[in-house]
């Protein structure tokens, strides 16, 4: 698979190397007047915009959106303090990372778009770069509004070091900007049929993410329920293209991500990492399977510190025939944490089990590195689109035959029981419960669970029920499995505005209870 090289240019590092991209600007940067002179330089600048997705703290599998910020009713950690157990404050660095990286990406996109007309080049190529930059800028605002609520909205490059005072814009207005920009980008980027790759934005990716954005705007706390119709429209765009389909094997889909094999029929948008090994001159490293893998010390199989274990609540959602269960939740441990022999857990040892989706033993790299690898992360896959379509259809039209058809497509691939006419529920509320459980079975450990529970406005009651269930189970994992649920409060529905940002931008206000 041809990987996209994220070049570390002076443009990408000098111009935006400040701690808080929204607030400061270094004096030693390459002025835009000396750059953006041709299509190649615009493309390199676009690489710099993409680059923020893979930072530690984002989607690279380390302490970020795939682990630290996604602890809910699917996984737990043995830590006693930190964001993953809801014991942190506005001064913690992990709170700052999402803010800093997203505003750095937004600033890079703003500068690129401000210089878009500078070089002579084909209008088709210019449109493509513009569409990707506008989409990514909107996506970064999507990450911000999900995590912090109201945030400053910047659409022009930072003018000077004094250009720092911007108020928070209400969340519904931020969402409106996101949707407007993504709808504009959809007209500019190519079809996935024309590029046959998932590492760059295509029309399918824009359609699918627009469905997601509209679902979140329809949910808590904005509650713009009219957006369910738009979520249905955009998810149907992906389905009606007639190209996308599920990989016949749930397991193989993730092996393809681990082995850098494109599967654009299901993997619509994925974040690419470079496999690093002897003799390779560059590396954009990820860490999927390191913190969130199967505990392993043998480098030949791939090291994993395995800081996370699975909740019994998730395990119990699957039936015994569901092929997703024993891939998502590893049914074994490696013998003595050292060597290829697998020792399978007893049926009673549910809390002992690690996350199994990102299995480092399948990496093809000859010389594996302890904490890093090249496993790609799926930002949007077709199974998610089908479940979003089913959810939106239910909200707009009720639990129709069409909603069940989309839901059953996902279940059929998993070789689990399909919903027949006799088993179909008749109320929207009952179908919502089916969707909530199916999203967990299908998408667990892919960064969406806690955010889903928030938009359904059930995060806290779900966690409190989880604590009660885990406590009754007893055993040595009773404490770790319940600590996050015991610590969570209403204030955790949003992250705190970082203290450093509050000190620099006096127009900012803090989120409630922080």
């Amino acid at each position: 698979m041809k990987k996209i090289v994220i070049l570390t240019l002076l443009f990408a590092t000098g111009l935006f190397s400040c701690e808080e991209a929204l607030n400061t600007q270094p004096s030693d940067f390459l002025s835009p007047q000396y750059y953006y002179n041709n299509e190649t330089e615009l493309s390199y600048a676009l690489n710099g915009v993409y680059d923020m997705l893979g930072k530690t703290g984002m989607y690279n599998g380390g302490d970020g959106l795939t682990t630290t910020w996604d602890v809910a009713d699917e996984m737990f950690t043995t830590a006693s303090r930190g964001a993953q157990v809801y014991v942190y404050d506005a001064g913690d660095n992990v709170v700052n990372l999402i803010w800093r990286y997203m505003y750095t990406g937004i600033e890079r996109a703003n500068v690129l778009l401000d210089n878009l007309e500078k070089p002579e080049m084909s209008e088709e190529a210019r449109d493509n770069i513009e569409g990707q930059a506008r989409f990514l800028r909107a996506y970064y605002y999507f990450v911000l509004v999900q995590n912090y609520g109201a945030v400053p909205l910047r659409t022009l490059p930072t003018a000077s070091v004094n250009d720092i005072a911007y108020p928070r814009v209400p969340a519904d207005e931020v969402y409106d900007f996101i949707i407007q920009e993504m709808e504009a980008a959809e007209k500019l980027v190519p079809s996935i049929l024309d590029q046959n790759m998932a590492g760059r934005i295509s029309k399918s990716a824009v359609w699918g993410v627009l469905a997601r954005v509209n679902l979140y705007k329809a949910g808590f706390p904005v509650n713009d329920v009219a957006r369910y119709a738009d979520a249905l429209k955009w998810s149907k765009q992906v389905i009606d293209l007639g190209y996308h389909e599920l990989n016949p094997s749930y397991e193989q889909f993730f092996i393809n991500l681990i082995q850098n094999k494109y599967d654009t029929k299901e993997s619509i948008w994925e974040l690419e990492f470079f496999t690093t090994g002897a003799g390779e001159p560059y590396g954009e490293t990820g860490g999927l399977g390191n913190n969130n893998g199967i505990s392993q010390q043998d480098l030949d199989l791939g090291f994993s510190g395995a800081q996370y274990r699975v909740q019994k609540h998730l395990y119990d959602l699957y039936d015994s025939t569901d092929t997703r269960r024993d891939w998502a939740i590893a049914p074994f441990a490696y013998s003595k944490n050292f060597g290829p022999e697998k020792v399978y857990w007893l049926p009673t040892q549910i809390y002992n089990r690690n996350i199994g989706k990102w299995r480092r033993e399948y990496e093809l790299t000859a010389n594996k590195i302890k904490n890093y690898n090249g496993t790609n992360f799926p930002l949007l896959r077709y199974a998610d689109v089908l479940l979003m379509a089913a959810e939106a259809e239910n909200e707009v039209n009720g639990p129709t035959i069409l909603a069940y058809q989309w839901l059953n497509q996902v279940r059929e691939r998993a070789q689990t029981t399909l919903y027949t006419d006799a088993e179909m529920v008749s109320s929207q509320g009952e179908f919502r419960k089916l969707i909530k459980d199916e999203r967990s079975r299908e998408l667990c450990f892919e960064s969406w669970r806690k955010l889903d529970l928030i938009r359904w406005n059930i995060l806290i009651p779900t966690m409190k029920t989880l604590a009660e269930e885990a406590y009754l189970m007893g055993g040595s994992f009773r404490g770790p499995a319940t600590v996050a649920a015991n610590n969570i409060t209403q204030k955790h529905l949003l992250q705190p505005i970082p203290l450093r940002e509050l000190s620099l931008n006096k127009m900012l206000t803090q989120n409630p209870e922080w």
Side-chain angles (χ1 to χ4, degrees), residues 419-431:
Y419 293 107
T420 64
D421 291 345
E423 297 167 317
M424 292 181 181
V425 299
S426 58
S427 74
Q428 284 182 315
E430 290 173 309
F431 192 85

Side-chain angles (χ1 to χ4, degrees), residues 209-349:
V209 174
L210 269 168
R212 179 182 290 161
V213 170
N214 278 285
L215 274 183
Y216 276 86
K217 190 170 191 284
F220 179 83
V222 178
N223 298 316
D224 183 2
V225 296
R227 289 292 177 176
Y228 282 119
D230 293 293
L232 178 59
K233 178 185 76 172
W234 290 114
S235 55
K236 281 187 87 287
Q237 286 269 77
V238 181
I239 295 168
D240 292 345
L241 181 65
Y243 170 75
H244 296 288
E245 60 185 32
L246 300 177
N247 189 305
S249 166
Y250 186 77
E251 175 181 324
Q252 188 60 47
F253 173 81
F254 291 96
I255 294 174
N256 287 343
L257 291 170
I258 295 167
Q259 297 182 345
N260 299 330
K261 297 174 182 177
Y262 277 135
D263 177 10
T264 55
K265 291 193 173 183
E266 179 165 358
S267 184
I268 299 173
W269 180 29
E270 64 190 57
L271 174 58
E272 296 187 302
F273 294 104
F274 297 110
T275 303
T276 56
E280 294 189 7
Y282 52 79
E284 179 75 6
T285 54
L288 289 167
N290 183 25
N291 287 343
N292 54 351
I294 306 169
S295 183
Q296 176 56 252
Q297 302 298 313
D298 188 342
L299 278 181
D300 289 336
L301 287 176
F303 171 85
S304 178
Q307 296 178 17
Y308 295 89
R309 297 179 186 270
V310 301
Q311 292 282 6
K312 185 176 183 297
H313 171 82
L314 173 63
Y315 185 89
D316 289 345
L317 286 180
Y318 298 96
D319 62 43
S320 60
T321 66
D322 196 319
T323 59
R324 295 170 297 188
R325 187 190 69 184
D326 288 346
W327 180 262
I329 301 171
F332 61 85
Y334 293 107
S335 177
K336 297 181 180 178
N337 265 356
F338 200 99
E341 182 183 349
K342 297 174 181 178
V343 179
Y344 284 79
W345 297 111
L346 297 174
T348 56
Q349 296 176 302

Side-chain angles (χ1 to χ4, degrees), residues 215 228 231-232 235-236 387-404 406 428 431:
L215 274 183
Y228 282 119
L232 178 59
S235 55
K236 281 187 87 287
L387 293 175
M388 289 191 291
E391 180 178 356
E393 171 71 9
N394 179 57
E395 297 299 333
V396 175
N397 300 310
T400 64
I401 296 296
L402 189 57
Y404 273 102
W406 290 327
Q428 284 182 315
F431 192 85

